[in-house]
Amino acid sequence: MAELSKKRRTTQSSSSQTSRSSLSSGQLDGSGGESRYVEGSILRLTMKNFLTYDYSVVYPGPNLNMIVGANGTGKSSIVCAICLGLAGKTAILGRGDKVGLYVKRGCHKGFIEIELYKSGGNLVINREIHVENNQSLWMLNGRHCNQKTVEEEVKALRIQVSNLCQFLPQEKVGEFAKMSKIELLEATEKSVGPP
């Protein structure tokens, strides 16, 4: 059992692996038609030295995606990577208050890369997290930028990681259940309505 925990955790989802090459060029699905991805859909999530992962790449499909596994297998790590990679605050996750705490224990820095579908060209967000100074370096489509620039791009795609009706981390389920009907209606309208 001890040897299992020492194994390097390297995973790669294969659910969308076959359509990956066609998505990169023109956002077409396997049938030659237009993709069913909507603006802001996650096409790829890469994590390196992040929480439970040494290295992992996940390719979500255009429809409902489910991540299942036993306790401690890294499901919540993927949720954390999505939130922090989209410039969400650590308070949204309800876990550690410093971003450096999300780097894998024993490592000096961690890395998240998220590729989002955007008509006219996908958006690639990189966040490199440094433990020593609890700081992040941001890149947008290969160019250095600041967190505010990333927040604006994410907002333009109508992604709201702070809205519990759109993004609900495990630690916030109790808070969501306590929302009043009015708060739920407002959050739902913000999630699906026009800006």
Side-chain angles (χ1 to χ4, degrees):
M1 188 83 164
E3 287 185 8
L4 288 176
S5 64
K6 291 181 183 178
K7 279 176 46 177
R8 181 177 174 181
R9 176 173 279 171
T10 305
T11 60
Q12 188 164 1
S13 172
S14 60
S15 63
S16 300
Q17 201 69 356
T18 55
S19 61
R20 177 74 181 122
S21 59
S22 61
L23 286 173
S24 297
S25 56
Q27 297 302 321
L28 300 176
D29 64 18
S31 65
E34 283 192 30
S35 170
R36 294 173 295 173
Y37 285 96
V38 297
E39 292 267 320
S41 294
I42 298 173
L43 299 176
R44 177 177 51 85
L45 171 65
T46 304
M47 298 166 285
K48 185 176 180 184
N49 297 329
F50 187 81
L51 288 175
T52 58
Y53 292 103
D54 288 331
Y55 180 78
S56 180
V57 180
V58 181
Y59 295 98
N63 301 308
L64 176 67
N65 290 273
M66 298 183 81
I67 302 168
V68 295
N71 290 344
T73 56
K75 301 180 300 292
S76 294
S77 297
I78 293 171
V79 172
C80 292
I82 291 170
C83 178
L84 297 178
L86 296 174
K89 309 286 185 234
T90 55
I92 293 169
L93 298 169
R95 295 179 106 180
D97 60 338
K98 295 179 182 176
V99 74
L101 296 172
Y102 292 85
V103 174
K104 186 170 183 160
R105 185 171 282 141
C107 298
H108 300 291
K109 63 183 177 179
F111 176 81
I112 304 165
E113 182 173 270
I114 299 180
E115 182 177 358
L116 302 172
Y117 174 71
K118 184 177 179 183
S119 59
N122 294 341
L123 188 66
V124 179
I125 301 168
N126 296 10
R127 183 174 191 173
E128 188 176 284
I129 304 167
H130 294 265
V131 175
E132 185 180 338
N133 57 6
N134 206 43
Q135 298 288 322
S136 295
L137 294 175
W138 293 92
M139 289 180 75
L140 200 54
N141 290 334
R143 300 169 118 178
H144 287 281
C145 66
N146 58 27
Q147 183 170 340
K148 183 141 181 75
T149 305
V150 174
E151 288 171 356
E152 289 168 359
E153 287 288 342
V154 168
K155 185 178 180 182
L157 290 171
R158 304 195 48 222
I159 299 170
Q160 304 164 20
V161 290
S162 61
N163 184 336
L164 295 180
C165 285
Q166 200 175 86
F167 184 82
L168 183 59
Q170 178 178 331
E171 286 78 6
K172 296 288 183 169
V173 171
E175 189 177 312
F176 178 76
K178 292 177 185 173
M179 290 174 72
S180 70
K181 291 179 183 181
I182 294 170
E183 290 171 324
L184 280 171
L185 177 61
E186 287 174 354
T188 302
E189 286 176 344
K190 287 178 184 175
S191 180
V192 299

